[in-house]
Amino acid sequence: QVQLKESGPGLVKPSLTLSLTCTVSGFSLSSYGVIWVRQPPGKGLEWMGVIWGNGNTNYNSALKSRLSISRDTSKSQVFLKMNNLQTEDTAMYFCARSADFWGPGTMVTVSS
Amino acid sequence: DIQMTQSLASLSASLEEIVTITCQASQDIGNWLAWYQQKPGKSPQLLIHSATSLADGIPSRFSGSRSGTQYSLKISRLQVEDTGIYYCLQRYSNPWTFGGGTKLELK
C-alpha cells in the first residue's frame, strides 16, 4: 500500500539549513508528484513545493529563494532543503503523494 | 497566486444535522479542488477530489459541489467522528493554495 514517512533533525538552530527526507513505498516517484506542506503550531496548512514525476519542481514563491526539493528514485526518497531557518519556520512538515496520501509529519523546531 | 477563502473559521452543529462548508476561489480553477479533514495531531485526510469525487474509503455522507468559483463540502448527517478542521486546496496552478480552514465542532 502507499506509504510516506518524513524524517528530520527535530531541532535546528536559527540561520542554519533544514534537511528533511520523505521515504515512500507502494508507488514510483517517476509516476507521481510529491509535495511538501508545513503547518505552524495552531495554524493552517502552507504548500511549500512539489517535485513532479518527471523531476521538475515548483516552489511557493514566498519560499523559493530558500527552498530546494530533490529526489533519489532508486531509494524512493524525496528531499527538502531550506536554508536560513528562522523561528517562524517552526512547524510540522508533511510530505504527500500528489496531495492524496500523506505522511504522518515531522516536527521541526527552530531555536537556539 | 490564487486565493482560497473559507469564510467561516468555525462552525458548531448538532448530531445528524446537515453541514455545509464553503470555499471561494479568487479565479477560475475548474474542478481542481480537493477537500481535507484534519484531526488534532494527525495529517490531513483526503475527502473529496476533483471538486465532486469521493475519495476511496470516505463515507457517502460527504459530498462536494461547485457553483462557478464557489465550492462546497456537505456532510449529510453529522457524526461524532466528523469533528475536526476542514481545508480546501486548489491544484489548478502553482503555487497550490489552501483555504484557511473551518473548524467543525459538535453543539
Side-chain angles (χ1 to χ4, degrees):
Chain A
Q1 70 275 30
V2 173
Q3 291 187 322
L4 302 95
K5 187 168 185 181
E6 308 85 350
S7 57
L11 179 66
V12 181
K13 293 185 186 304
S15 80
L16 296 187
T17 296
L18 171 67
S19 294
L20 298 177
T21 299
C22 175
T23 303
V24 311
S25 60
F27 68 97
S28 169
L29 292 177
S30 298
S31 300
Y32 288 88
V34 171
I35 67 171
W36 286 94
V37 172
R38 67 179 181 175
Q39 184 172 39
K43 296 193 176 180
L45 301 166
E46 179 183 30
W47 184 85
M48 300 180 72
V50 59
I51 185 162
W52 300 103
N54 63 8
N56 289 343
T57 54
N58 291 103
Y59 300 110
N60 185 323
S61 52
L63 302 173
K64 191 172 183 177
S65 63
R66 301 194 289 141
L67 183 62
S68 173
I69 298 174
S70 60
R71 69 183 185 184
D72 184 335
T73 54
S74 67
K75 294 183 178 179
S76 295
Q77 291 180 322
V78 176
F79 309 106
L80 178 147
K81 289 191 188 300
M82 190 161 69
N83 60 29
N84 192 25
L85 247 59
Q86 303 301 315
T87 54
E88 52 266 32
D89 294 313
T90 292
M92 183 71 81
Y93 286 75
F94 299 99
C95 63
R97 187 191 81 166
S98 298
D100 55 5
F101 288 91
W102 293 61
T106 187
M107 184 67 199
V108 174
T109 301
V110 182
S111 174
S112 55
Chain B
D1 298 358
I2 297 174
Q3 306 300 317
M4 304 301 293
T5 302
Q6 293 181 242
S7 53
L8 274 180
S10 65
L11 175 58
S12 182
S14 302
L15 276 176
E16 303 288 321
E17 189 174 336
I18 297 172
V19 172
T20 300
I21 297 169
T22 61
C23 181
Q24 178 74 47
S26 62
Q27 65 186 75
D28 180 28
I29 60 169
N31 286 332
W32 292 92
L33 190 284
W35 287 99
Y36 299 86
Q37 177 196 64
Q38 187 179 33
K39 299 255 186 199
K42 300 291 188 182
S43 53
Q45 180 182 23
L46 179 67
L47 301 174
I48 300 286
H49 64 88
S50 307
T52 60
S53 298
L54 196 64
D56 290 345
I58 301 302
S60 59
R61 65 179 180 273
F62 290 92
S63 63
S65 63
R66 170 194 173 192
S67 175
T69 57
Q70 177 155 302
Y71 299 80
S72 299
L73 173 71
K74 179 181 171 183
I75 308 172
S76 60
R77 292 171 56 187
L78 186 66
Q79 303 297 302
V80 172
E81 60 267 30
D82 298 335
T83 58
I85 303 178
Y86 290 80
Y87 294 95
C88 61
L89 168 68
Q90 69 81 16
R91 305 196 276 188
Y92 177 76
S93 70
N94 295 308
W96 295 3
T97 41
F98 288 93
T102 297
K103 185 175 184 178
L104 177 59
E105 298 174 316
L106 274 176
K107 195 179 289 182

